[in-house]
């Protein structure tokens, strides 16, 4: 049985296709310029095998010209041109790509530059034009032809005159409508911006005649209009240049031109990967936190190019959240694009690139930490919090990647130190990595709880960021060493004389402490003789998973759960206050009540926890004054 071809209402089909695959009208220019560039590339490839043909780069260009009076926009190229058959096949058959066929026929494996592949880009012209005219003369041919389509409703082809080889595409731009300002596609400044955005790295010059007001010769205030042909694109993408050719200034200029940020990046990374995936990338680590960085509005992502043509502004799949501060771009030939060339299918190549990039950023940060400490600290000030969130999020799956990038303030060094530095200088008898949490370094330094660890001469990490303790809980152990809060129950410090004293006193004063626990019922789980206090009379510590600092943070969160630390009131038995407590216990129950509540409230104040009844507290103080 003879096979029949589907018939289609081509006008409808075209309209449907054009309007469903492209979300932005401005990309028509990207598509037409890409085609022009492909056409020039084809001459270049032909010249590689044809001795008769010399490819003299200077004579190839693309030109864009707007004529506002006639509402036309013309894109001219000096490329390979099209024969009558080519016009018929490539522009007359939807989804037929002459460029794709060319790549196959000529066995161009590197595919380096030819962009076309789907055979639909050309029709995007109908998004902005109601008449599209193509005048073309093919390489090696004497005759030229004119292809024309009105309202995408069929087309005509007739012979015409054209002197030089190449193609001219004339769009008659639609009239403005209520929703759409088509006029803008006739404005030179707008055209320039679109070209810069999508086609800046097309390898051939994209030219336009630009009118400018210039001072009249010999005059100081008289202007005259001056027309000049300008090249709008930078042509050679900086990422395809060799690293040795480029200076930090070149990279910084690129960062600025691209508006990645207004600061000076602290580091750039130039990657030319040609392993399992081939891609080029230029990445930047900014110096300053963008103003919206810690808000929902901030969008992470890298620019994604395919063969030098911008495909996506912010490809978020290329960066993990914890490296969302990284700016820059990736260019790859290996991507499988979907038909609109705007979106990517969930692409294996993209995943590989993302993984590759992640590792490169990580090792870059590690080497800055190692070799340029000051720079790293500057970076950490801006983005360290994000790294700590990265450790904490997703149940810590990324902690191994990130823990070596963390810094915390050290009680001994009086500056930021890494976990590795901390652990490497731990004395042999020190079991844990100690940390103390609080609002600020100054406040932590005054905490009674740090006395024992500090007397012992051990280094402590000070946690002043609300995420710190949560991140550390997720890490749990670094190089086999567990983390320990200075206010946790067992500090793992070898018991000495005062410890034993505390134990004996504890049993002797069992009744006193029990009595005090009863007074504070519901507020603390027990009252104990402290093994960590040296000079302060009292402090709170926590038993169990939730520390006091965590309780504070959780309480401050919106819709907070009422999570409470299991608090213990610790009394310093070497302090005079302890004697007063004992005396009160024996002689004056009322006084014991008063003292207990006062000590408890003081401990809350030291911790920075809210006190339930400040008036009662001041009244209590007055009671002991009279
Ligand atoms: P694609 O570029 O994906 O192949 P298009 O719809 O953009 O699809 O173009 C269809 C075909 O028309 C191209 O493959 C090419 O063969 C031909 N073509 C389009 N524009 C030009 C041009 N300026 N010069 C030569 N050939 C062109
Ligand atoms: Mg195309």
């Amino acid at each position: 049985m003879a096979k029949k071809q589907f018939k289609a209402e081509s006008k409808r089909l075209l309209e449907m296709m054009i309007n469903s695959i492209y979300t932005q009208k401005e990309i028509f220019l990207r598509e037409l310029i890409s085609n022009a560039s492909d056409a020039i590339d084809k001459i270049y490839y032909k010249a590689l095998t044809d001795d008769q043909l010399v490819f003299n780069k200077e004579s190839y260009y693309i030109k864009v010209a707007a004529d506002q009076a006639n509402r036309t926009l013309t894109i001219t190229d000096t490329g390979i041109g099209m024969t009558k058959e080519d016009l018929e096949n490539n522009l007359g058959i939807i989804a037929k790509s002459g460029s794709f066929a060319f790549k196959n026929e000529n066995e161009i494996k590197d595919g380096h530059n030819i962009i076309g592949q789907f055979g639909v880009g050309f029709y995007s012209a109908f998004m902005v034009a109601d008449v599209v005219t193509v005048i073309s003369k093919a390489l090696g041919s004497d005759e030229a032809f004119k292809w024309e389509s009105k309202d995408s409703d069929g087309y005509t082809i007739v012979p015409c005159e054209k002197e030089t080889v190449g193609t001219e595409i004339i769009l008659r731009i639609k009239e403005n409508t209520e929703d759409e300002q088509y006029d803008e596609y006739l404005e030179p400044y707008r055209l320039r911006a679109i070209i810069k955005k999508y086609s800046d790295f097309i390898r051939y010059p994209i030219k336009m005649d630009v009118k400018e007001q210039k001072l009249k010769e010999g005059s100081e205030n008289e202007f005259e209009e001056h027309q000049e042909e300008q090249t709008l694109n930078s042509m050679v993408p900086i990422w395809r240049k060799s690293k040795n050719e480029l200076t930090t200034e070149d990279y910084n200029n690129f960062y600025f031109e691209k508006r990645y940020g207004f600061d000076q990046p602290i580091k750039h990374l130039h990657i030319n990967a040609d392993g399992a995936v081939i891609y080029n990338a230029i990445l930047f680590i900014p110096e300053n936190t963008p103003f919206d960085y810690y808000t929902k509005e901030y969008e992470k992502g890298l620019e994604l190019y395919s063969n030098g043509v911008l495909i996506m502004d912010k490809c978020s799949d290329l960066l993990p959240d914890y490296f969302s501060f990284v700016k820059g771009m990736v260019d790859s030939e290996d991507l499988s694009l979907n038909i609109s060339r705007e979106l990517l299918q969930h692409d294996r190549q993209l995943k590989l690139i993302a993984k590759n990039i992640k590792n490169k950023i990580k090792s870059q940060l590690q080497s800055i930490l190692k070799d340029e400490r000051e720079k790293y600290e500057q970076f950490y000030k801006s983005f360290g919090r994000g790294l700590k969130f990265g450790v904490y999020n997703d149940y810590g799956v990324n902690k191994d990647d990130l823990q070596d990038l963390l810094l915390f303030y050290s009680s001994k060094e009086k500056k930021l130190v890494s976990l590795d530095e901390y652990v490497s200088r731990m004395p042999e008898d020190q079991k844990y990595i100690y940390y103390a949490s609080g609002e600020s370094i100054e406040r932590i330094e005054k905490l009674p709880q740090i006395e024992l660890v500090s007397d012992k001469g051990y280094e402590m990490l000070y946690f002043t960021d609300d995420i710190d303790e949560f991140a550390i809980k997720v890490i749990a152990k670094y190089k086999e060493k567990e983390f320990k809060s200075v206010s946790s129950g067992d500090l793992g410090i070898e018991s000495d004389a005062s410890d034993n004293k505390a134990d004996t006193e504890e049993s002797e004063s069992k009744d006193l402490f029990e009595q005090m626990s009863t007074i504070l019922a519901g507020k603390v789980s027990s009252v104990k003789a402290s093994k960590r206090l040296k000079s302060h009379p009292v402090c709170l510590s926590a038993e169990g998973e939730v520390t006091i600092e965590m309780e504070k943070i959780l309480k401050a969160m919106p819709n907070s759960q009422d999570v409470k630390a299991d608090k213990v009131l610790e009394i310093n038995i070497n302090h005079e206050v302890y004697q007063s407590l004992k005396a009160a216990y024996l002689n004056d129950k009322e006084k014991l009540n008063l003292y207990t509540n006062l000590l408890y409230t003081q401990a809350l104040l030291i911790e920075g926890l809210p006190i339930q009844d400040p008036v009662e507290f001041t009244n209590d103080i007055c009671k002991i004054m009279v």
Side-chain angles (χ1 to χ4, degrees):
M1 231 193 292
K3 192 166 78 178
K4 288 197 169 183
Q5 290 294 322
F6 286 109
K7 292 205 178 105
E9 186 68 60
S10 61
K11 180 177 153 60
R12 289 256 302 133
L13 196 62
L14 249 182
E15 269 166 16
M16 260 161 47
M17 181 193 72
I18 295 161
N19 293 309
S20 62
I21 61 179
Y22 298 114
T23 49
Q24 278 170 303
K25 292 201 159 47
E26 66 184 25
I27 62 86
F28 80 92
L29 195 52
R30 173 187 81 178
E31 293 302 323
L32 297 181
I33 288 174
S34 297
N35 286 349
S37 165
D38 283 353
I40 300 174
D41 268 342
K42 286 174 197 166
I43 298 191
Y44 166 80
Y45 281 110
K46 275 234 176 313
L48 292 180
T49 52
D50 185 344
D51 296 341
Q52 306 286 299
L53 198 60
V54 192
F55 187 82
N56 183 359
K57 210 174 171 210
E58 279 70 56
S59 22
Y60 296 95
Y61 63 87
I62 298 159
K63 184 151 184 180
V64 176
D67 177 342
Q68 285 171 323
N70 293 309
R71 293 194 74 79
T72 60
L73 178 65
T74 305
I75 295 116
T76 310
D77 69 64
T78 56
I80 199 160
M82 283 177 275
T83 62
K84 189 174 179 216
E85 290 68 43
D86 290 337
L87 288 168
E88 192 82 59
N89 289 331
N90 296 332
L91 305 186
I93 303 177
I94 298 167
K96 174 139 179 136
S97 168
S99 296
F100 187 71
F102 184 91
K103 266 190 273 192
N104 287 341
E105 282 157 22
N106 293 276
E107 292 183 354
I108 299 171
K109 293 230 175 46
D110 63 355
H112 206 66
N113 297 294
I114 291 185
I115 302 156
Q117 65 181 107
F118 296 117
V120 294
F122 171 76
Y123 303 102
S124 64
F126 288 106
M127 291 194 293
V128 299
D130 40 29
V131 182
V132 178
T133 310
V134 181
I135 296 171
S136 196
K137 185 173 185 180
L139 183 72
S141 164
D142 302 330
E143 26 179 20
F145 290 91
K146 180 163 105 175
W147 179 103
E148 193 165 79
S149 174
K150 283 196 180 68
D151 299 320
S152 65
D153 190 8
Y155 61 90
T156 56
I157 300 180
V158 295
C160 73
E161 287 301 309
K162 186 177 189 313
E163 255 178 52
T164 51
V165 169
T167 303
E168 203 176 306
I169 299 186
I170 305 150
L171 311 182
R172 200 181 69 202
I173 299 297
K174 292 182 185 174
E175 295 291 338
N176 282 350
T177 64
E178 244 172 60
D179 313 321
E180 205 68 53
Q181 296 289 310
Y182 292 103
D183 279 4
E184 61 179 275
Y185 304 117
L186 294 165
E187 297 281 357
Y189 77 91
R190 179 75 174 106
L191 295 167
R192 177 199 287 267
I194 301 174
I195 291 166
K196 263 285 178 200
K197 178 171 178 190
Y198 295 101
S199 312
D200 200 27
F201 305 112
I202 291 291
R203 293 190 313 151
Y204 306 103
I206 304 169
K207 299 179 180 182
M208 187 159 74
D209 288 330
V210 183
K211 284 196 191 116
E212 272 172 346
Q213 298 291 327
K214 280 204 172 151
L215 269 183
K216 241 184 183 165
E217 244 186 41
S219 158
E220 292 196 348
N221 47 19
E222 264 185 275
F223 286 86
E224 62 181 359
E225 203 168 68
H226 176 90
Q227 179 158 315
E228 186 189 68
E229 192 181 64
Q230 290 185 357
T231 296
L232 306 181
N233 55 330
S234 3
M235 292 191 274
V236 185
I238 162 171
W239 60 88
R240 292 232 181 111
K241 289 186 187 162
S242 128
K243 285 173 221 178
N244 327 335
E245 268 178 67
L246 296 162
T247 62
T248 302
E249 203 189 336
D250 293 327
Y251 290 107
N252 286 2
N253 284 341
F254 180 67
Y255 180 84
F256 194 72
E257 263 175 37
K258 281 286 186 184
R259 312 221 165 249
Y260 290 143
F262 298 100
D263 50 350
Q264 294 277 325
I266 63 156
K267 207 59 180 199
H268 65 260
L269 256 116
H270 189 161
I271 311 170
N272 303 112
D274 50 8
V277 268
I278 302 170
Y279 72 92
N280 294 302
I282 295 184
L283 309 177
F284 294 95
I285 298 167
E287 179 180 34
N288 299 331
T289 337
F291 71 94
D292 58 350
Y293 186 64
Y294 289 107
T295 71
K296 272 209 217 80
E297 275 67 52
Y298 183 81
E299 265 183 87
K300 63 162 185 171
L302 299 175
E303 283 182 311
L304 184 62
Y305 289 79
S306 167
N307 281 324
V309 179
L310 182 70
I311 300 299
M312 230 174 159
D313 267 345
K314 277 201 172 147
C315 180
S316 62
D317 290 347
L318 284 169
L319 286 177
D321 282 341
Y322 51 84
F323 288 155
S324 61
F325 50 82
V326 175
K327 302 280 181 193
M329 52 69 51
V330 172
D331 185 15
S332 177
E333 311 160 9
D334 279 358
L335 301 165
S336 52
L337 301 178
N338 76 7
I339 200 164
S340 64
R341 299 216 273 133
E342 287 169 334
L343 293 161
L344 284 159
Q345 282 136 9
H346 275 283
D347 185 29
R348 206 179 66 88
Q349 300 296 321
L350 192 74
K351 286 211 182 93
L352 278 175
I353 296 175
K355 193 168 157 208
N356 219 291
I357 283 177
K358 181 193 83 177
N359 290 332
K360 295 259 180 209
I361 299 169
K362 187 176 111 186
S363 50
Q364 177 67 261
L365 289 173
Q366 273 166 345
S367 75
I368 306 175
L369 173 60
K370 196 164 137 264
D371 306 325
E372 294 169 280
R373 184 61 169 236
E374 224 169 278
K375 250 190 191 169
Y376 189 82
E377 286 183 21
Q378 171 69 35
F379 153 79
Y380 195 76
K381 222 169 72 196
S382 304
F383 302 106
R385 212 172 125 77
L387 296 182
K388 292 185 268 193
F389 271 104
V391 168
Y392 174 70
N393 285 341
D394 302 321
Y395 309 100
V397 285
N398 301 307
K399 66 179 180 192
D400 291 341
D401 277 338
L402 297 174
Q403 59 190 9
D404 282 317
L405 297 174
L406 301 184
L407 296 180
F408 297 102
Y409 185 88
S410 151
S411 62
K412 268 197 161 164
E413 301 292 311
K414 306 284 177 211
K415 59 174 194 184
L416 294 172
V417 300
S418 69
L419 296 177
D420 185 50
E421 286 161 348
Y422 182 103
V423 169
S424 67
R425 55 177 171 246
M426 269 170 77
E428 223 167 278
D429 63 341
Q430 184 182 338
K431 282 199 210 137
Y432 301 112
I433 302 172
Y434 294 104
Y435 67 85
S437 311
E439 233 157 76
S440 64
I441 290 160
E442 296 70 35
R443 262 194 104 146
I444 297 176
E445 290 202 307
K446 291 192 182 125
L447 280 179
Q449 288 92 330
I450 68 170
E451 281 193 307
L452 179 63
V453 183
S454 152
D455 269 21
K456 191 79 188 164
Y458 293 157
E459 185 173 9
M460 282 170 282
L461 300 175
Y462 289 172
F463 290 176
T464 49
D465 211 347
D466 53 11
I467 183 70
D468 288 347
E469 218 174 335
F470 293 89
I472 282 307
K473 288 269 170 208
V474 168
I475 297 180
K477 260 187 193 175
Y478 181 83
K479 301 215 163 140
E480 309 286 294
K481 304 286 182 197
E482 259 177 70
F483 290 89
K484 198 88 170 166
S485 161
V486 293
S487 39
S488 66
D490 172 26
L491 284 177
I493 291 177
E494 291 298 301
S495 61
D496 56 15
S498 79
D499 254 16
N500 296 332
K501 190 176 168 204
D503 286 337
T504 12
E505 280 296 335
E506 174 112 23
S507 55
E508 274 175 25
S509 315
K510 198 166 160 258
D511 293 342
L512 163 63
F513 289 138
E514 250 166 36
Q515 183 73 45
M516 289 174 78
S517 307
T518 318
I519 298 169
L520 296 173
K523 295 172 180 161
V524 301
S525 57
S526 63
V527 179
K528 278 186 185 158
S530 178
K531 294 180 186 176
R532 78 187 92 218
L533 291 174
K534 300 274 166 173
S535 61
H536 290 79
V538 67
C539 75
L540 282 174
S541 65
E543 277 172 347
E545 277 303 297
V546 185
T547 64
I548 291 165
E549 205 53 35
M550 288 165 93
E551 174 185 316
K552 273 199 281 185
I553 291 156
L554 291 169
K555 202 174 256 154
M557 296 212 284
N559 347 313
S560 64
Q561 305 286 318
D562 204 16
V563 183
K564 283 224 154 68
D566 201 353
K567 298 187 198 73
V568 175
L569 187 70
E570 296 194 8
I571 305 290
N572 182 356
I573 50 164
N574 297 312
H575 198 280
E576 289 154 2
V577 156
Y578 176 63
Q579 299 309 323
S580 312
L581 279 172
K582 279 214 285 207
Y585 172 66
L586 293 174
N587 311 318
D588 188 344
K589 288 281 136 80
E590 192 75 0
K591 218 171 214 170
L592 181 67
N593 217 8
L594 178 69
Y595 287 179
T596 304
N597 277 315
L598 271 174
L599 283 170
Y600 170 69
T601 313
Q602 287 175 43
L604 287 178
L605 284 172
I606 292 169
E607 281 303 327
L609 284 167
I611 52 177
Q612 261 160 4
D613 191 343
V615 177
E616 191 188 0
F617 174 60
T618 49
N619 286 341
D620 282 353
I621 289 186
C622 289
K623 274 186 210 157
I624 55 170
M625 290 168 91
V626 289

